[in-house]
Amino acid sequence: MKFSTKDLSRAEQVFSITGLQVGLAGQPDAAPVLDRIDLQIRAGETHCLVGESGSGKSVTSLATMGLLPKDALEVTGGRIQLKEVEITAASPSRMRDLRAKRVAMIFQEPMTALNPVLRVGAQIEEVLNMHTDLSAAEAKARTLDIMEQVHLPDVPRIYQAFPHQLSGGQRQRIMIAMALVLEPDLLIADEPTTALDVTTQLQILKLIAEMQQRHGTAVLFITHDMGVVAEIADTVSVMQKGRIVETAPIRELLTDPQMDYTRKLLQAVPNLTPRPARPVNGADAVLDVDNLQMTYGGTGWFSRSEGVRAARDVTFDIAPGRTLGIVGESGSGKSTVARCIMRLIDPTGGRVCVAGSDIARLSRRQLQPHRKHFQIVFQDPYRSLNPRWTVARSLCEGPINFGQPKAQALEHAAELLELVDLPRDALWRYPHQFSGGQRQRIAIARAVAMKPDLLVADEAVSALDVSVQAQVLDLLDDVQKRFGIAMLFITHDLRVAAQICDDVLVMQKGQVVEHGPAGAVLADPQHSYTKSLIEAAPGRDWDFANFRAVSAPSAIQGATV
């Protein structure tokens, strides 16, 4: 592996945190949220801050930006220094002046960070108008220039576009342009690639590295993805329960981690080595998809377009107890296929047979008795559960609707919670009282409550940190073994696909370009598109569990977009 080769020994220290403590506002006796944090970053350095959800990574970034939620969290000790400016002592007006000009931030979800009713060009210009004296013409020229620098296509068109008219990768590029247009001393990137597919993720990581080289920016990169850390980091700090437990150069941390917690994080990272193939038992397929078609638009009387063919001639089947993974970039048609199978949308052609019945053309009323045979686990555990319902009501709703007595459904719900390693008394709590990983366990329990023949997992672990992700993957595997469920696993993470899938189907622009056993597709891909996906996977050249590199060079360090 090609580690960072930057010589930072003579670089100026741009940013430092010394003894930082953050606590609950008005509760001096409560345990601190951040406990005596120390961290330093030099000019041109990429410092990765890693750890599980709840470890304090994002609180550290919010404290640096002066964005801690009022009346909830407050700095109770220590200093944050940005060159000559002490941020912890800065007034609100001083912090407004520093943001974007001296320190800027890229958020995880650009769709919520961008204003949906303003054109993206105007949003970049707003930064310039607030912090510079440039004329309107100069601000527009500067905006177009930074949009060119972040490699956006057709810049004049995108300048006039609204956020919803852009792809996820393009929106993230707009966020990077906004963050770097004033060439700040420090760039904070808080999980900027978590929701992106591997090829878009690679482009964004290369772009951040290129912009850093061009402007000499110090970067604080917050992530739970150790594959990304292996690609981009110069230095790494590991956080656990509000403390930094280990800090080291990237080579030292990955080859000789000193703390058990660091070793645990590294060993939880899935690799691209496919799982041992499970035997095919010859049973009839639970799911049989034949020549599935899905076209959006172009069907009205006055429409002149042919519409967008999101799925074309998709054919596959899944036997009981086996898992098929569908992988590909955003927009490849993965989720469209999953929604057609679940009949969340109506396919425009082909057959979808679940447990022996073709459900592709059934009406909503005709479909109702078949719903118990197929269930879905969605990507976002924070939105897949009704926040006003107790866990008991969420788990019992389906069985009761299909005629199970309430007392029996409640007992079964309690057994399911134990199955997913949650206590029985969690039945009477609400979703907001659980962590993200616990909510996903509840969502899995709800899906299994119907005793389905088919479970569809649509990016079910992409929002989880590596250790929780490993736990949920193990849980899915255990549930599948116990109940013999067939599983359709939608993911953009090839490492996850390698750990859980028996077979892999690769989609590009709505079509299947490669399909076969996971061992064959991932170890010896035949199609150029599959090869490009594997080459773009971060950390693919690293054996994290054994703390050693393999021969392939890094795709990020020293690369250009």
Side-chain angles (χ1 to χ4, degrees), residues 492-549:
H492 64 250
D493 191 332
L494 298 180
R495 294 173 301 176
V496 169
Q499 299 308 301
I500 198 169
C501 298
D502 300 294
D503 301 285
V504 171
L505 183 148
V506 183
M507 291 192 68
Q508 181 187 30
K509 297 179 180 178
Q511 290 185 301
V512 177
V513 297
E514 192 159 356
H515 181 197
V521 173
L522 297 178
D524 186 25
Q526 301 302 304
H527 196 277
S528 59
Y529 178 69
T530 310
K531 293 177 182 178
S532 70
L533 289 180
I534 293 173
E535 288 170 359
R540 70 202 174 284
D541 50 346
W542 186 261
D543 182 359
F544 292 97
N546 295 304
F547 316 119
R548 64 184 181 87

Side-chain angles (χ1 to χ4, degrees), residues 275-283 319-322 502:
R275 62 174 296 163
R278 286 180 280 196
V280 180
N281 57 20
R322 290 182 67 81
D502 300 294

Side-chain angles (χ1 to χ4, degrees), residues 163 456 517:
V456 177

Side-chain angles (χ1 to χ4, degrees), residues 363-549:
S363 67
R364 289 291 180 256
R365 174 170 288 187
Q366 293 171 326
L367 190 63
Q368 188 62 30
H370 298 275
R371 285 284 186 195
K372 63 182 179 181
H373 294 295
F374 50 99
Q375 294 290 306
I376 189 168
V377 179
F378 294 99
Q379 175 177 355
D380 188 350
Y382 289 89
R383 292 192 291 176
S384 61
L385 297 171
N386 190 326
R388 296 186 176 186
W389 286 9
T390 61
V391 170
R393 186 173 178 183
S394 290
L395 296 186
C396 292
E397 180 194 22
I400 290 174
N401 286 346
F402 278 87
Q404 192 174 85
K406 184 175 180 180
Q408 185 179 340
L410 195 60
E411 176 59 26
H412 184 50
E415 292 172 356
L416 287 172
L417 282 184
E418 292 179 339
L419 173 67
V420 298
D421 293 326
L422 289 174
R424 283 181 171 237
D425 60 13
L427 284 171
W428 311 113
R429 292 156 61 185
Y430 290 87
H432 73 272
Q433 296 174 295
F434 298 91
S435 69
Q438 289 173 326
R439 292 189 200 198
Q440 200 63 298
R441 290 172 180 270
I442 294 168
I444 292 169
R446 180 181 63 177
V448 175
M450 298 301 298
K451 300 179 181 178
D453 300 294
L454 172 69
L455 183 65
V456 177
D458 189 2
E459 300 281 10
V461 297
S462 65
L464 306 176
D465 62 59
V466 286
S467 55
V468 177
Q469 183 184 81
Q471 294 166 11
V472 172
L473 290 176
D474 288 341
L475 173 60
L476 286 171
D477 189 53
D478 182 52
V479 165
Q480 191 173 31
K481 288 177 180 176
R482 285 174 182 249
F483 300 106
I485 299 172
M487 185 157 59
L488 178 65
F489 197 90
I490 312 294
T491 184
H492 64 250
D493 191 332
L494 298 180
R495 294 173 301 176
V496 169
Q499 299 308 301
I500 198 169
C501 298
D502 300 294
D503 301 285
V504 171
L505 183 148
V506 183
M507 291 192 68
Q508 181 187 30
K509 297 179 180 178
Q511 290 185 301
V512 177
V513 297
E514 192 159 356
H515 181 197
V521 173
L522 297 178
D524 186 25
Q526 301 302 304
H527 196 277
S528 59
Y529 178 69
T530 310
K531 293 177 182 178
S532 70
L533 289 180
I534 293 173
E535 288 170 359
R540 70 202 174 284
D541 50 346
W542 186 261
D543 182 359
F544 292 97
N546 295 304
F547 316 119
R548 64 184 181 87

Side-chain angles (χ1 to χ4, degrees), residues 114-115 117-126 143 147 152 155 157-166 170-171 174-175 178:
L114 293 170
N115 190 325
V117 298
L118 283 182
R119 300 180 191 276
V120 295
Q123 295 190 53
I124 299 174
E125 287 178 8
E126 184 179 27
T143 298
M147 291 174 73
L152 283 163
V155 167
R157 177 186 65 81
I158 290 183
Y159 175 87
Q160 294 290 340
F162 292 95
H164 72 272
Q165 296 174 307
L166 306 179
Q170 289 172 337
R171 288 194 289 265
I174 293 295
M175 287 293 299
M178 290 177 66

Side-chain angles (χ1 to χ4, degrees), residues 302-347:
F302 302 102
S303 175
R304 295 183 179 181
S305 72
E306 297 181 358
V308 177
R309 300 187 67 185
R312 292 182 280 177
D313 309 318
V314 177
T315 299
F316 62 86
D317 59 61
I318 313 176
R322 290 182 67 81
T323 300
L324 171 73
I326 302 183
V327 302
E329 296 172 292
S330 299
S332 62
K334 308 186 301 296
S335 291
T336 293
V337 170
R339 291 184 182 119
C340 286
I341 291 168
M342 292 300 301
R343 283 300 307 275
L344 299 177
I345 57 176
D346 299 329

